[in-house]
PDB file of all heavy atoms in Angstrom:
ATOM      1  N   ARG A 169      -4.739  14.564   6.842  1.00  0.00           N
ATOM      2  CA  ARG A 169      -4.559  16.016   7.074  1.00  0.00           C
ATOM      3  C   ARG A 169      -5.642  16.516   8.001  1.00  0.00           C
ATOM      4  O   ARG A 169      -6.740  15.924   8.107  1.00  0.00           O
ATOM      5  CB  ARG A 169      -4.526  16.777   5.760  1.00  0.00           C
ATOM      6  CG  ARG A 169      -5.703  16.836   4.779  1.00  0.00           C
ATOM      7  CD  ARG A 169      -7.002  16.395   5.134  1.00  0.00           C
ATOM      8  NE  ARG A 169      -8.018  16.679   4.145  1.00  0.00           N
ATOM      9  CZ  ARG A 169      -9.242  17.167   4.411  1.00  0.00           C
ATOM     10  NH1 ARG A 169      -9.586  17.377   5.675  1.00  0.00           N
ATOM     11  NH2 ARG A 169     -10.108  17.374   3.488  1.00  0.00           N
ATOM     12  N   ALA A 171      -7.641  20.064   8.421  1.00  0.00           N
ATOM     13  CA  ALA A 171      -7.790  21.228   7.536  1.00  0.00           C
ATOM     14  C   ALA A 171      -8.717  22.268   8.119  1.00  0.00           C
ATOM     15  O   ALA A 171      -9.759  22.575   7.539  1.00  0.00           O
ATOM     16  CB  ALA A 171      -8.322  20.736   6.178  1.00  0.00           C
ATOM     17  N   PRO A 172      -8.386  22.836   9.273  1.00  0.00           N
ATOM     18  CA  PRO A 172      -9.301  23.783   9.889  1.00  0.00           C
ATOM     19  C   PRO A 172      -9.380  25.111   9.157  1.00  0.00           C
ATOM     20  O   PRO A 172      -8.440  25.530   8.493  1.00  0.00           O
ATOM     21  CB  PRO A 172      -8.685  23.991  11.267  1.00  0.00           C
ATOM     22  CG  PRO A 172      -7.225  23.778  11.060  1.00  0.00           C
ATOM     23  CD  PRO A 172      -7.134  22.686  10.027  1.00  0.00           C
ATOM     24  N   SER A 173     -10.524  25.755   9.268  1.00  0.00           N
ATOM     25  CA  SER A 173     -10.659  27.133   8.813  1.00  0.00           C
ATOM     26  C   SER A 173     -10.403  28.041   9.997  1.00  0.00           C
ATOM     27  O   SER A 173     -10.966  27.793  11.067  1.00  0.00           O
ATOM     28  CB  SER A 173     -12.079  27.390   8.311  1.00  0.00           C
ATOM     29  OG  SER A 173     -12.394  26.454   7.308  1.00  0.00           O
ATOM     30  N   GLU A 205      -7.321  26.441   5.992  1.00  0.00           N
ATOM     31  CA  GLU A 205      -8.287  26.744   4.925  1.00  0.00           C
ATOM     32  C   GLU A 205      -8.840  28.146   5.102  1.00  0.00           C
ATOM     33  O   GLU A 205      -9.896  28.348   5.722  1.00  0.00           O
ATOM     34  CB  GLU A 205      -9.398  25.700   4.908  1.00  0.00           C
ATOM     35  CG  GLU A 205      -8.810  24.279   4.700  1.00  0.00           C
ATOM     36  CD  GLU A 205      -9.737  23.309   3.991  1.00  0.00           C
ATOM     37  OE1 GLU A 205     -10.967  23.415   4.179  1.00  0.00           O
ATOM     38  OE2 GLU A 205      -9.209  22.467   3.249  1.00  0.00           O
ATOM     39  N   TYR A 349     -14.330  26.437  -0.863  1.00  0.00           N
ATOM     40  CA  TYR A 349     -13.853  25.288  -0.086  1.00  0.00           C
ATOM     41  C   TYR A 349     -13.729  24.044  -0.959  1.00  0.00           C
ATOM     42  O   TYR A 349     -12.708  23.344  -0.897  1.00  0.00           O
ATOM     43  CB  TYR A 349     -14.802  25.069   1.100  1.00  0.00           C
ATOM     44  CG  TYR A 349     -14.781  23.649   1.638  1.00  0.00           C
ATOM     45  CD1 TYR A 349     -13.646  23.149   2.269  1.00  0.00           C
ATOM     46  CD2 TYR A 349     -15.871  22.804   1.459  1.00  0.00           C
ATOM     47  CE1 TYR A 349     -13.606  21.845   2.733  1.00  0.00           C
ATOM     48  CE2 TYR A 349     -15.834  21.485   1.927  1.00  0.00           C
ATOM     49  CZ  TYR A 349     -14.702  21.021   2.548  1.00  0.00           C
ATOM     50  OH  TYR A 349     -14.677  19.721   2.996  1.00  0.00           O
ATOM     51  N   SER A 353     -10.205  22.329  -1.504  1.00  0.00           N
ATOM     52  CA  SER A 353     -10.060  21.098  -0.745  1.00  0.00           C
ATOM     53  C   SER A 353      -9.607  19.948  -1.666  1.00  0.00           C
ATOM     54  O   SER A 353      -8.696  19.190  -1.336  1.00  0.00           O
ATOM     55  CB  SER A 353     -11.389  20.792  -0.062  1.00  0.00           C
ATOM     56  OG  SER A 353     -11.370  19.541   0.529  1.00  0.00           O
ATOM     57  N   VAL A 365      -9.257  11.048   3.867  1.00  0.00           N
ATOM     58  CA  VAL A 365      -9.856  12.266   4.367  1.00  0.00           C
ATOM     59  C   VAL A 365     -10.762  11.861   5.529  1.00  0.00           C
ATOM     60  O   VAL A 365     -11.755  11.172   5.325  1.00  0.00           O
ATOM     61  CB  VAL A 365     -10.659  12.978   3.265  1.00  0.00           C
ATOM     62  CG1 VAL A 365     -11.528  14.078   3.846  1.00  0.00           C
ATOM     63  CG2 VAL A 365      -9.722  13.526   2.209  1.00  0.00           C
ATOM     64  N   ARG A 367     -12.975  13.414   8.448  1.00  0.00           N
ATOM     65  CA  ARG A 367     -13.534  14.701   8.873  1.00  0.00           C
ATOM     66  C   ARG A 367     -14.921  14.523   9.432  1.00  0.00           C
ATOM     67  O   ARG A 367     -15.510  13.431   9.363  1.00  0.00           O
ATOM     68  CB  ARG A 367     -13.553  15.675   7.669  1.00  0.00           C
ATOM     69  CG  ARG A 367     -14.435  15.168   6.540  1.00  0.00           C
ATOM     70  CD  ARG A 367     -14.309  16.081   5.319  1.00  0.00           C
ATOM     71  NE  ARG A 367     -14.962  15.520   4.158  1.00  0.00           N
ATOM     72  CZ  ARG A 367     -14.706  15.904   2.917  1.00  0.00           C
ATOM     73  NH1 ARG A 367     -13.837  16.861   2.678  1.00  0.00           N
ATOM     74  NH2 ARG A 367     -15.348  15.349   1.898  1.00  0.00           N
ATOM     75  N   TRP A 371     -19.568  17.311   6.785  1.00  0.00           N
ATOM     76  CA  TRP A 371     -18.998  17.451   5.436  1.00  0.00           C
ATOM     77  C   TRP A 371     -19.441  16.351   4.505  1.00  0.00           C
ATOM     78  O   TRP A 371     -19.082  16.350   3.328  1.00  0.00           O
ATOM     79  CB  TRP A 371     -17.461  17.491   5.535  1.00  0.00           C
ATOM     80  CG  TRP A 371     -17.029  18.644   6.366  1.00  0.00           C
ATOM     81  CD1 TRP A 371     -16.596  18.601   7.659  1.00  0.00           C
ATOM     82  CD2 TRP A 371     -17.052  20.034   5.998  1.00  0.00           C
ATOM     83  NE1 TRP A 371     -16.345  19.872   8.130  1.00  0.00           N
ATOM     84  CE2 TRP A 371     -16.625  20.757   7.122  1.00  0.00           C
ATOM     85  CE3 TRP A 371     -17.401  20.725   4.838  1.00  0.00           C
ATOM     86  CZ2 TRP A 371     -16.532  22.143   7.135  1.00  0.00           C
ATOM     87  CZ3 TRP A 371     -17.307  22.098   4.847  1.00  0.00           C
ATOM     88  CH2 TRP A 371     -16.874  22.790   5.982  1.00  0.00           C
TER      89      TRP A 371
HETATM   90  N1  LIG B  82     -12.148  23.700   6.497  1.00  0.00           N
HETATM   91  C1  LIG B  82     -13.025  22.641   6.791  1.00  0.00           C
HETATM   92  C2  LIG B  82     -13.330  22.727   8.277  1.00  0.00           C
HETATM   93  O1  LIG B  82     -13.209  23.762   8.811  1.00  0.00           O
HETATM   94  C3  LIG B  82     -12.410  21.330   6.455  1.00  0.00           C
HETATM   95  C4  LIG B  82     -13.330  20.245   6.069  1.00  0.00           C
HETATM   96  C5  LIG B  82     -12.523  19.058   5.549  1.00  0.00           C
HETATM   97  O2  LIG B  82     -11.841  18.445   6.342  1.00  0.00           O
HETATM   98  O3  LIG B  82     -12.592  18.816   4.344  1.00  0.00           O
HETATM   99  O4  LIG B  82     -13.698  21.800   8.953  1.00  0.00           O
END
Side-chain angles (χ1 to χ4, degrees):
R169 62 13 172 223
S173 304
E205 301 210 327
Y349 156 68
S353 172
V365 168
R367 62 186 170 199
W371 301 102

